[in-house]
mmCIF file of all heavy atoms in Angstrom:
data_model
loop_
_atom_site.group_PDB
_atom_site.id
_atom_site.type_symbol
_atom_site.label_atom_id
_atom_site.label_comp_id
_atom_site.label_asym_id
_atom_site.label_seq_id
_atom_site.Cartn_x
_atom_site.Cartn_y
_atom_site.Cartn_z
ATOM 1 N N THR H 54 19.734 5.902 -7.287
ATOM 2 C CA THR H 54 21.192 5.936 -7.008
ATOM 3 C C THR H 54 21.332 5.413 -5.555
ATOM 4 O O THR H 54 20.449 5.656 -4.697
ATOM 5 C CB THR H 54 21.802 7.321 -7.087
ATOM 6 O OG1 THR H 54 21.215 8.164 -6.132
ATOM 7 C CG2 THR H 54 21.679 7.913 -8.370
ATOM 8 N N ALA H 55 22.407 4.684 -5.302
ATOM 9 C CA ALA H 55 22.648 4.202 -3.953
ATOM 10 C C ALA H 55 24.120 4.510 -3.576
ATOM 11 O O ALA H 55 24.899 4.108 -4.331
ATOM 12 C CB ALA H 55 22.371 2.700 -3.854
ATOM 13 N N PRO H 56 24.359 5.211 -2.668
ATOM 14 C CA PRO H 56 23.371 5.998 -1.771
ATOM 15 C C PRO H 56 22.763 7.067 -2.507
ATOM 16 O O PRO H 56 23.018 7.370 -3.758
ATOM 17 C CB PRO H 56 24.201 6.612 -0.605
ATOM 18 C CG PRO H 56 25.698 6.292 -0.925
ATOM 19 C CD PRO H 56 25.730 5.450 -2.235
ATOM 20 N N ASP H 57 21.693 7.710 -1.969
ATOM 21 C CA ASP H 57 21.037 8.709 -2.694
ATOM 22 C C ASP H 57 21.900 9.903 -2.969
ATOM 23 O O ASP H 57 22.654 10.345 -2.201
ATOM 24 C CB ASP H 57 19.804 9.272 -1.717
ATOM 25 C CG ASP H 57 18.938 10.209 -2.389
ATOM 26 O OD1 ASP H 57 18.166 9.825 -3.335
ATOM 27 O OD2 ASP H 57 18.963 11.421 -1.980
ATOM 28 N N PHE H 58 21.863 10.403 -4.263
ATOM 29 C CA PHE H 58 22.757 11.415 -4.666
ATOM 30 C C PHE H 58 22.574 12.766 -3.975
ATOM 31 O O PHE H 58 23.479 13.476 -3.875
ATOM 32 C CB PHE H 58 22.567 11.683 -6.285
ATOM 33 C CG PHE H 58 21.256 12.464 -6.570
ATOM 34 C CD1 PHE H 58 21.243 13.870 -6.679
ATOM 35 C CD2 PHE H 58 20.002 11.813 -6.793
ATOM 36 C CE1 PHE H 58 20.173 14.526 -6.949
ATOM 37 C CE2 PHE H 58 18.857 12.477 -7.137
ATOM 38 C CZ PHE H 58 18.935 13.829 -7.214
ATOM 39 N N GLU H 59 21.391 13.058 -3.392
ATOM 40 C CA GLU H 59 21.152 14.318 -2.760
ATOM 41 C C GLU H 59 21.962 14.472 -1.474
ATOM 42 O O GLU H 59 22.365 15.531 -1.080
ATOM 43 C CB GLU H 59 19.628 14.411 -2.513
ATOM 44 C CG GLU H 59 19.359 15.777 -2.020
ATOM 45 C CD GLU H 59 17.796 16.098 -1.801
ATOM 46 O OE1 GLU H 59 17.020 15.157 -2.028
ATOM 47 O OE2 GLU H 59 17.429 17.228 -1.567
ATOM 48 N N SER H 60 22.191 13.269 -0.757
ATOM 49 C CA SER H 60 22.878 13.458 0.488
ATOM 50 C C SER H 60 24.301 12.744 0.423
ATOM 51 O O SER H 60 25.051 12.849 1.422
ATOM 52 C CB SER H 60 22.133 12.708 1.573
ATOM 53 O OG SER H 60 21.813 11.407 1.199
ATOM 54 N N ASN H 61 24.767 12.252 -0.710
ATOM 55 C CA ASN H 61 26.041 11.586 -0.825
ATOM 56 C C ASN H 61 27.168 12.670 -0.888
ATOM 57 O O ASN H 61 26.886 13.726 -1.442
ATOM 58 C CB ASN H 61 26.037 10.706 -2.043
ATOM 59 C CG ASN H 61 27.145 9.741 -1.990
ATOM 60 O OD1 ASN H 61 27.502 9.233 -0.896
ATOM 61 N ND2 ASN H 61 27.630 9.411 -3.130
ATOM 62 N N TYR H 62 28.284 12.471 -0.328
ATOM 63 C CA TYR H 62 29.367 13.343 -0.471
ATOM 64 C C TYR H 62 29.700 13.549 -1.944
ATOM 65 O O TYR H 62 29.586 12.633 -2.748
ATOM 66 C CB TYR H 62 30.674 12.790 0.269
ATOM 67 C CG TYR H 62 30.502 12.850 1.647
ATOM 68 C CD1 TYR H 62 30.503 11.738 2.550
ATOM 69 C CD2 TYR H 62 30.409 14.099 2.457
ATOM 70 C CE1 TYR H 62 30.394 11.666 3.928
ATOM 71 C CE2 TYR H 62 30.271 14.046 3.898
ATOM 72 C CZ TYR H 62 30.179 12.975 4.527
ATOM 73 O OH TYR H 62 30.119 12.985 5.943
ATOM 74 N N ILE H 63 30.233 14.733 -2.345
ATOM 75 C CA ILE H 63 30.427 15.095 -3.737
ATOM 76 C C ILE H 63 31.303 14.199 -4.459
ATOM 77 O O ILE H 63 31.162 13.888 -5.633
ATOM 78 C CB ILE H 63 30.689 16.659 -3.825
ATOM 79 C CG1 ILE H 63 30.501 17.125 -5.267
ATOM 80 C CG2 ILE H 63 32.103 16.846 -3.357
ATOM 81 C CD1 ILE H 63 29.138 17.375 -5.728
ATOM 82 N N ASP H 64 32.439 13.760 -3.837
ATOM 83 C CA ASP H 64 33.392 12.922 -4.482
ATOM 84 C C ASP H 64 33.325 11.491 -4.121
ATOM 85 O O ASP H 64 34.165 10.691 -4.453
ATOM 86 C CB ASP H 64 34.727 13.472 -4.207
ATOM 87 C CG ASP H 64 35.007 14.789 -5.049
ATOM 88 O OD1 ASP H 64 34.622 14.877 -6.191
ATOM 89 O OD2 ASP H 64 35.576 15.740 -4.349
ATOM 90 N N ALA H 65 32.210 11.110 -3.489
ATOM 91 C CA ALA H 65 31.926 9.724 -3.099
ATOM 92 C C ALA H 65 31.216 8.953 -4.185
ATOM 93 O O ALA H 65 30.530 9.537 -5.029
ATOM 94 C CB ALA H 65 31.074 9.579 -1.752
ATOM 95 N N PRO H 66 31.420 7.685 -4.274
ATOM 96 C CA PRO H 66 30.847 6.882 -5.393
ATOM 97 C C PRO H 66 29.365 6.722 -5.237
ATOM 98 O O PRO H 66 28.817 6.549 -4.116
ATOM 99 C CB PRO H 66 31.561 5.564 -5.347
ATOM 100 C CG PRO H 66 32.084 5.440 -3.952
ATOM 101 C CD PRO H 66 32.321 6.823 -3.452
ATOM 102 N N LEU H 67 28.629 6.714 -6.344
ATOM 103 C CA LEU H 67 27.237 6.390 -6.492
ATOM 104 C C LEU H 67 27.126 5.133 -7.365
ATOM 105 O O LEU H 67 27.838 5.037 -8.428
ATOM 106 C CB LEU H 67 26.512 7.460 -7.144
ATOM 107 C CG LEU H 67 26.182 8.753 -6.432
ATOM 108 C CD1 LEU H 67 25.556 9.737 -7.534
ATOM 109 C CD2 LEU H 67 25.321 8.514 -5.260
ATOM 110 N N GLN H 68 26.206 4.278 -7.102
ATOM 111 C CA GLN H 68 25.837 3.238 -7.996
ATOM 112 C C GLN H 68 24.382 3.542 -8.526
ATOM 113 O O GLN H 68 23.647 3.869 -7.725
ATOM 114 C CB GLN H 68 25.766 1.770 -7.189
ATOM 115 C CG GLN H 68 25.545 0.712 -8.054
ATOM 116 C CD GLN H 68 26.611 0.483 -9.133
ATOM 117 O OE1 GLN H 68 27.850 0.356 -8.775
ATOM 118 N NE2 GLN H 68 26.305 0.400 -10.380
#
Side-chain angles (χ1 to χ4, degrees):
T54 63
D57 185 70
F58 74 91
E59 187 176 7
S60 58
N61 200 35
Y62 290 113
I63 194 75
D64 290 317
L67 285 175
Q68 185 65 55

